[in-house]
Amino acid sequence: MKLIIDDANVEAIKALYEYFPVDGVTTNPSILAKSGRNPYDVLSEIREIIGADAELHVQVISKKAEGMVAEAAKIREKLGTNTYIKIPTTREGLKAMKTLKAEGVNVTATAIYTAQQAFLAGKAGADYAAPYVNRIDNLGADGVATAKKIHDIYRKNNLHTEVLAASFKNTQQVLELAEYGVGAATVAADIIEGLLKNACVDSAIDAFTADFENLVGKGKTMENC
Ligand code: G3P
């Protein structure tokens, strides 16, 4: 399962890229709005940090297919032709997905709340489909189960679309989908950090250090003992 950063905070992305095994960045209009800056300024900086070949997903705003297709052209011109164009999975969105896929554009079907929607996105040729795990939970349904069901529908119908699960509240939701082997999860920076945060690990390492320093002296390591 690819692990993607769902964030447009340039400093957070830099830090995660330095330390964590991550595979790209997704954004949406609300995430970009948090930066308070011009969207293309922020996205260009992100592209610079992650490199020309890494996955960058950028969402369109238009409600009509023609507008979505025009936005896709501008996004690709500014951020590279390998950029994934996030298209909301609506009636107009499906039309745009079919047009863009016929032109060989990378497409991520987004705003997915049901497996029915995801099935249609798969049939329209989307490369990724993004079910909103936590938002589905908040509707009284099961977000993780929906993402798994979508993964199964794609595999059983020989559709090449991969699940790009989004909207996570906790690390357990992420892990359950990794265990199931869905294609990708896009996760906010603090939840990616949360995959590692564990006081037991810190105290185990502190105990190892204390024992070693009792043996050979304070500040010593295997390099200079
Ligand atoms: O981009 C869609 C998804 O990441 C939204 O997440 O946390 O706003 O539900 P959230």
Side-chain angles (χ1 to χ4, degrees), residues 63-217:
K63 298 247 168 52
K64 290 286 191 189
E66 290 67 25
M68 294 175 183
V69 171
E71 285 186 65
K74 180 76 175 192
I75 291 167
R76 284 158 49 87
E77 179 199 318
K78 300 276 272 183
L79 301 164
T81 52
N82 63 338
T83 304
Y84 285 77
I85 310 300
K86 287 178 76 180
I87 307 279
T89 310
T90 58
R91 195 165 189 270
E92 291 288 330
L94 289 174
K95 182 180 175 189
M97 286 177 209
K98 291 201 300 170
T99 304
L100 291 171
K101 283 316 301 173
E103 294 169 0
V105 174
N106 291 332
V107 168
T108 298
T110 194
I112 290 182
Y113 286 80
T114 67
Q116 288 90 329
Q117 251 182 310
F119 170 63
L120 291 173
K123 293 287 290 175
D127 301 281
Y128 283 114
Y132 288 0
V133 171
N134 195 53
R135 295 194 195 191
I136 294 170
D137 281 354
N138 286 338
L139 292 174
D142 186 333
V144 166
T146 302
K148 289 179 180 174
K149 183 188 275 217
I150 294 168
H151 175 86
D152 290 344
I153 288 171
Y154 290 155
R155 296 296 82 87
K156 285 181 181 156
N157 287 277
N158 293 322
L159 294 168
H160 77 271
T161 314
E162 293 287 353
V163 167
L164 167 57
S167 177
F168 289 97
K169 186 182 64 180
N170 62 54
T171 57
Q172 182 58 25
Q173 293 167 326
V174 179
L175 196 69
E176 274 191 54
L177 291 177
E179 187 179 359
Y180 203 70
V182 307
T186 186
V187 184
D190 59 326
I191 296 180
I192 293 180
E193 295 274 1
L195 288 165
L196 194 62
K197 219 173 264 174
N198 187 329
C200 294
V201 176
D202 297 339
S203 91
I205 293 167
D206 287 347
F208 289 138
T209 306
D211 288 343
F212 193 81
E213 288 184 339
N214 280 340
L215 177 68
V216 290

